[in-house]
Amino acid sequence: GKHRIVIPCLGHFKEEYEKVSKLYMNNKIRTTRYTLLNFLPRNLFEQFHRVANLYFLFLVVLNWVPLVEAFQKEITMLPLIGVLTIIAVKDGLEDYSRYKMDRQINNLVTKVYNR
């Protein structure tokens, strides 16, 4: 009764593979969290889930109120910007290494077992 068709993605089968593969989901591995378009907003969103970053953001905002201003406005932003930048660079490098590993795994040649 049941049968399946396996079409290789090589040589003269490539056109047929592309036509048939549009009908199905692919099985590529993707472990990265970011893309180039969503890196900055998503990274900032994740960083501000940390209580310490929210506290420093609160201090920066509070320092912009003239009645409460304790330091120069720009000086209170430096620690927060420094920490956010360092963490963003670290997250970006980690995500890039995940991307390279995903590409390496997705481009491996596989063997198909045939009884």
Side-chain angles (χ1 to χ4, degrees):
K2 292 187 178 182
H3 66 282
R4 69 182 187 141
I5 299 172
V6 177
I7 302 170
C9 180
L10 301 170
H12 61 278
F13 294 109
K14 192 153 180 88
E15 289 178 17
E16 187 177 356
Y17 171 79
E18 289 174 355
K19 186 178 9 172
V20 172
S21 67
K22 290 179 184 175
L23 303 173
Y24 302 101
M25 296 281 297
N26 65 19
N27 62 348
K28 289 187 178 187
I29 294 172
R30 183 175 181 265
T31 58
T32 57
R33 289 189 283 180
Y34 308 109
T35 63
L36 289 176
L37 295 175
N38 74 0
F39 176 75
L40 189 61
R42 189 166 185 186
N43 187 268
L44 288 174
F45 179 75
E46 289 178 9
Q47 286 192 46
F48 282 117
H49 274 127
R50 297 184 181 124
V51 177
N53 290 343
L54 283 175
Y55 173 74
F56 283 110
L57 179 66
F58 173 73
L59 288 179
V60 167
V61 170
L62 192 62
N63 202 34
W64 283 85
V65 176
L67 293 174
V68 187
E69 183 179 347
F71 306 108
Q72 291 179 345
K73 297 171 184 149
E74 296 79 17
I75 291 177
T76 56
M77 293 188 326
L78 288 178
L80 180 64
I81 291 172
V83 168
L84 293 179
T85 303
I86 291 170
I87 293 173
V89 168
K90 177 192 70 83
D91 288 345
L93 291 174
E94 286 176 356
D95 208 54
Y96 181 67
S97 66
R98 278 191 217 108
Y99 167 76
K100 288 192 320 188
M101 185 63 70
D102 291 347
R103 244 181 58 198
Q104 182 182 6
I105 289 172
N106 287 330
N107 290 325
L108 286 176
V109 175
T110 57
K111 295 181 180 180
V112 177
Y113 174 74
N114 187 359
R115 291 188 256 163

